Amino acid sequence: MNLCGIELAHPIINASGTFDAIAARRAFGDALLARFPFAAFVSKTVTVEPRQGNPPPRLWELPAGMINSIGLPNKGLEGYLAYDLPELAQLPVPLIVNVMGFTREQVAKLVTAFGERDEVAGLELNVSCPNVETGLIMGADPAETAALVDAVRPLTTKPLIVKLTPNCTSPADVAAAAEAHGADAVSLVNTLRGMAFHPRRAGQPWLGGGTGGVSGPAVRAVALAQVAEVRARVGIPIVGMGGVQSGRHAYDLLQAGADVVAVGTESFRDPLAGARIAVELTEIPANSGISGADSRGCREVIAHKA
Ligand code: SIN
């Protein structure tokens, strides 16, 4: 199959930042390359300058998922090009680099730099991280998203995937703006903003960043609804994600209108989840009893409501 020009062996990829392929290679050696769990690898977000990330604690476990307040730690553009890119280029699947800038100029710099690299199959624009001060501004507003895509579209011929935030009035409006201004695909949902209090210090947030992003099964129903709403508005491919733990969950997102499904939080529990889910997915259609007509009917209801 094909995601806006990127050849994929199956429809399951990883969600940015949820699978450290370099650490996994160190732990599992070349066995990781032989049994790589995803059809493409999406990198953790790269920013222009190196970042330490948010102060700890950075994680809080929920009954159905977790809250993270990681804060985009990374080596920065130069460090990534020097150290991470050569290692990630050895993976047996296409590499999609996720980038984030605090200004349009920064995003432009990242897109230009990665656009020139043969090792990079595509770019995902993270306009939706809830864990940095300005992370939500571009992706929460259709006009800001349009201006960003306008600015960076001419800088590369590589596929541009815009990662949408669920923390806004209308992700479908933002998706439509991204499509109208040249995005090749959209991905959703990033995490939903959430918080947890310290169990022993009343009123004090647990997470070092104060708030964080909720992921895992807790957000699955939200992802399903938002993917369906976005599908009713755009024709470009959708990478659907949010709480996928099984082939059935992936199938549901495909029925809602996704073309490709990303697995995130589940990979922390089961590093081979991507491969397992890809296999489970192949076992579903014949037995599911869900026909294409049912699926179209579902999309028509949503389109009518939009
Ligand atoms: C983080 O590093 O804070 C998570 C990345 C994201 O939510 O985009």
Side-chain angles (χ1 to χ4, degrees), residues 64-114:
M66 65 181 189
I67 315 177
N68 89 78
S69 172
I70 307 295
L72 306 178
N74 75 100
K75 298 185 178 80
L77 176 59
E78 292 309 318
Y80 187 91
L81 291 173
Y83 301 109
D84 289 1
L85 189 57
E87 289 202 52
L88 295 174
Q90 294 174 26
L91 297 178
V93 296
L95 173 64
I96 298 171
V97 177
N98 179 302
V99 298
M100 187 220 157
F102 295 93
T103 61
R104 270 177 229 146
E105 290 69 30
Q106 286 189 356
V107 182
K109 184 171 180 172
L110 291 156
V111 168
T112 303
F114 288 117

Side-chain angles (χ1 to χ4, degrees), residues 16 18 37-38 40 46 64 72 78 103 155 163 202 245 279:
S16 170
T18 60
F38 304 106
V46 184
L72 306 178
E78 292 309 318
T103 61
L155 304 177
K163 186 158 185 181
Q245 295 179 293
V279 171

Side-chain angles (χ1 to χ4, degrees), residues 19-35:
F19 188 87
D20 185 341
I22 294 175
R25 177 89 188 272
R26 250 177 245 129
F28 300 111
D30 287 349
L32 179 77
L33 306 187
R35 294 180 65 199

Side-chain angles (χ1 to χ4, degrees), residues 16-17 44-45 53-54 68-73 98 100 126 128-132 163 190-191 213:
S16 170
K44 172 87 183 147
T45 301
N54 287 342
N68 89 78
S69 172
I70 307 295
L72 306 178
N98 179 302
M100 187 220 157
N126 182 359
S128 52
C129 173
N131 296 332
V132 289
K163 186 158 185 181
N190 203 331
T191 54

